[in-house]
Amino acid sequence: MVERIEDLNLPNAVVGRLIKDALPEGANVSKEARAAIARAASVFVIFLTSSSTTLARKQNHKTITAANILDALKQLEFESFVEPLSTDLEAYRKAVKDKKDKAKSSSATAVANNSSANDEEMETEKTS
Amino acid sequence: MDTELPLSRIRTIMKSSLNTGQITNEVLFLMTKSTEMFIQKLTEEAYGRVKDDNTLKYKHLSQYVQKEKNLEFLLQIVPAKIKVKDFKNILEIGDGNSSSESEDERQIK
C-alpha cells in the first residue's frame, strides 16, 4: 500500500547515477531536468504495468508474465528495448537456476549417503 | 543479475494505481530493468537536443517529449513551459475562443 505520495518516487541518488552514466563525459544535467526524468520514470512503470496487465487479462490471466511486458513494450513503440531486455531476462533466469542448482547440490552433500537416492528422485522430477 | 533501482520501490509503484495481481520476481526484475533502460534512453535522446554548454535542461526534455509519439503519455508530466507574459497574451487572444484557453492552461506548469 502507498502511504505517502513520496513512496511513488524513485530514489534521487540512483536516478542521478543512471542519468550520469547515460551522458557523455563532462556533460551536466540541471536539477529540474533530473527531477523531470525521475517523475517520467515513475509514470513509465505505471504505464507499462497497466498495458501489460491489459494483455494478461486478454489471455484470461490474472498475473502478468515477462512475455506480457515484452509484448507491451512492442505495442507502446519501445521495440528497441525488447532485444537487450530479453538478454537481461535470460541472464536473470540462468542466475536463478544456477542458484537453485547450487543450493540443491550443497544440501545433497550435507545429507548422508543413504538419502542420496531421494535427491536423485527429486532431480528427475524437476527436469521432467 | 543486479538492478540499480530498488525492486521494492518498483513493486510499490506497480501496485499503486492498478488492480495488479501477483508480481513474480521475474516480472519485477524485468520491469526494473525496463525502467532503467527508459531513463537511459530518455537521457541520451534528450541530450541530443543540447546545443551549447553541455547541460541537459528541462526544456530539452519537454521539447523531446512533445516530438516523440511514444512519449505521449508524458505530455502532462513534462509539459512545455511558457512565460507568464505569453500566457497572458494567450488568455487575451483566447477570450473569444474559450476552447483553446483550457488547453493552453493545462500546459502551464
Side-chain angles (χ1 to χ4, degrees), chain A residues 11 14 17-18 85 88-89 92, chain B residues 1-11 25-37:
Chain A
V14 185
R17 195 166 66 227
L18 288 166
L85 285 172
D88 286 345
L89 183 63
Y92 175 82
Chain B
M1 281 303 287
D2 291 326
T3 56
E4 304 268 349
L5 291 168
L7 296 168
S8 59
R9 184 53 59 94
I10 298 290
R11 185 194 292 276
N25 286 340
E26 187 177 274
V27 159
L28 185 57
F29 168 82
L30 191 60
M31 183 62 69
T32 306
K33 277 284 170 197
S34 306
T35 311
E36 289 174 2
M37 189 168 290

Side-chain angles (χ1 to χ4, degrees), chain A residues 6-9 17 24 27-28 30 32-33 39 45 47 49 57 63-64 76-77 85 88 92-93, chain B residues 4 9 13-14 17 19 22 25-27 29 33-35 47 54-56 61 69-70 73 77 81:
Chain A
E6 298 90 79
D7 291 344
L8 299 179
N9 296 344
R17 195 166 66 227
N28 292 308
S30 78
E32 202 183 358
R39 221 163 48 229
V45 174
F47 187 52
T49 304
R57 294 267 158 82
T63 311
I64 312 172
L76 302 173
E77 296 181 43
L85 285 172
D88 286 345
Y92 175 82
R93 283 177 175 158
Chain B
E4 304 268 349
R9 184 53 59 94
I13 299 173
M14 287 178 78
S17 58
N19 196 2
Q22 283 228 321
N25 286 340
E26 187 177 274
V27 159
F29 168 82
K33 277 284 170 197
S34 306
T35 311
Y47 190 75
N54 295 343
T55 303
L56 177 63
L61 276 171
K69 193 172 167 283
N70 65 355
F73 72 100
I77 311 298
K81 287 198 202 173

Side-chain angles (χ1 to χ4, degrees), chain B residues 53-88:
Chain B
D53 75 357
N54 295 343
T55 303
L56 177 63
K57 299 198 186 83
Y58 182 87
K59 66 170 182 192
H60 303 121
L61 276 171
S62 63
Q63 283 167 3
Y64 181 65
V65 167
Q66 306 284 319
K67 187 181 111 272
E68 289 300 305
K69 193 172 167 283
N70 65 355
L71 297 181
E72 231 178 294
F73 72 100
L74 291 179
L75 281 176
Q76 313 287 316
I77 311 298
V78 190
K81 287 198 202 173
I82 67 170
K83 294 201 176 94
V84 173
K85 201 177 78 189
D86 297 338
F87 178 57
K88 281 183 178 157

